[in-house]
């Protein structure tokens, strides 16, 4: 998308494991300028970036965030807990993380059983606008299933946030990288997107997505989303 980067929001991706590079590649293809950072020296990312994410700029996390309009958190949650919340103050943050005790270990902060993981992330980042997105589709599928707007086989993905302006901006980004955004009214409602939720690990067309979470005409009266909003599950 030649020339698009002059007006497109800048994206900082924090995390260079599996999800981070996929989000970065999709964003670059859509014309977004992208910086990517890991926990160490960006020089160590230079070769990986050149080969796997051509066009992304490896930076220190503080520099990547300072120049960004949106920040994607794509790191293990145990590393997030070591991140200085002040780094993200005033930023629009896309939480693409999931709580995996098998890999993260048991994290007491995420073990209360009622609040969703993104609600807990948002409490820690009280100076940021946190939106849950891009977490419920596996990274291979996320890249393989991206489609232009209007494609008959375009898939849907959830966007959940308490700040409607931030959620709208993330929905626009999701649309730009190849998915129909499904707006959920709050971070609490976003529990349907996390492990154990009805769409986690699934790549669904919009009607199938609506049915799975209990919204839309085909799912009138279904209880799933209402339960998520009340903190159940």
């Amino acid at each position: 998308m030649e020339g698009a980067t002059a007006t497109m929001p800048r994206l900082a991706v924090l995390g260079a494991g599996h999800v981070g590079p996929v989000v970065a590649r999709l964003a670059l293809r859509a014309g977004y300028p992208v910086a990517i950072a890991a926990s160490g020296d960006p020089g160590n990312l230079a070769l990986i970036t050149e080969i796997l994410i051509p066009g992304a700029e490896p930076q220190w996390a503080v520099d990547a965030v300072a120049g960004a309009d949106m920040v994607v958190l794509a790191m293990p949650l145990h590393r997030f807990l070591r991140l200085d919340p002040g780094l993200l103050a005033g930023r629009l943050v896309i939480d693409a993380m999931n709580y995996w005790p098998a890999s993260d270990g048991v994290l007491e902060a995420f073990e209360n059983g009622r609040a969703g993981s993104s609600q807990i992330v948002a409490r820690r980042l009280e100076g940021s606008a946190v939106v849950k997105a891009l977490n419920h589709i596996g990274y291979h599928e996320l890249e393989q299933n991206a489609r232009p707007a209007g494609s008959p086989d375009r898939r849907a993905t959830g966007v959940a946030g308490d700040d409607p302006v931030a959620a709208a901006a993330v929905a626009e980004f999701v649309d730009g990288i190849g998915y129909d955004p499904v707006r959920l009214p709050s971070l609490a409602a976003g529990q349907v997107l996390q492990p154990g939720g009805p769409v986690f690990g699934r790549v669904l067309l919009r009607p199938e997505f609506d049915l799975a979470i209990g919204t839309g005409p085909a799912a009138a009266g279904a209880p799933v989303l209402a339960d998520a909003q009340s903190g159940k599950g």
Side-chain angles (χ1 to χ4, degrees):
M1 193 178 295
E2 188 176 353
T5 55
T7 56
M8 299 287 271
R10 285 191 58 85
L11 192 74
V13 178
L14 302 188
H18 296 304
V19 176
V22 166
V23 173
R25 282 196 294 271
L26 290 173
L28 286 162
R29 290 172 195 165
Y32 290 85
V34 176
I36 189 163
S39 57
D41 190 327
N44 297 331
L45 280 179
L47 181 59
I48 295 172
T49 301
E50 182 180 347
I51 295 171
L52 298 179
I53 326 168
E57 184 178 357
Q59 294 184 345
W60 291 101
V62 65
D63 296 325
V65 171
D69 299 294
M70 293 187 290
V71 179
V72 179
L73 296 181
M75 64 186 71
L77 273 173
H78 68 270
R79 291 187 180 173
F80 163 76
L81 290 175
R82 299 199 295 266
L83 186 73
D84 177 9
L87 175 68
L88 300 171
R91 300 293 173 181
L92 193 170
V93 174
I94 301 173
D95 178 15
M97 302 180 293
N98 290 302
Y99 177 38
W100 293 109
S103 58
D104 287 314
V106 174
L107 303 177
E108 290 300 324
F110 294 91
E111 283 286 319
N112 67 21
R114 291 190 61 81
S117 62
S118 289
Q119 293 171 271
I120 297 165
V121 167
R123 289 171 193 164
R124 191 160 191 271
L125 302 179
E126 61 180 358
S128 309
V130 176
V131 178
K132 187 180 192 69
L134 303 176
N135 73 294
H136 71 86
I137 298 177
Y139 65 95
H140 286 305
E141 292 82 4
L142 187 65
E143 189 159 26
Q144 294 168 358
N145 287 283
R147 298 288 187 276
S151 298
D153 61 342
R154 201 179 203 223
R155 302 314 205 266
T157 190
V159 175
D162 295 332
D163 182 325
V165 174
V170 175
E172 183 177 357
F173 171 69
V174 164
D175 183 46
I177 66 172
Y179 286 85
D180 283 343
V182 180
R183 291 277 300 275
L184 303 177
S186 64
L187 284 175
Q191 290 183 63
V192 297
L193 309 175
Q194 66 188 33
V199 296
F200 186 79
R202 304 175 70 187
V203 189
L204 303 172
L205 299 172
R206 177 62 186 263
E208 298 168 333
F209 191 104
D210 287 339
L211 183 61
I213 66 171
T215 61
V224 177
L225 182 57
D227 285 348
Q229 288 173 284
S230 67
K232 299 177 183 177

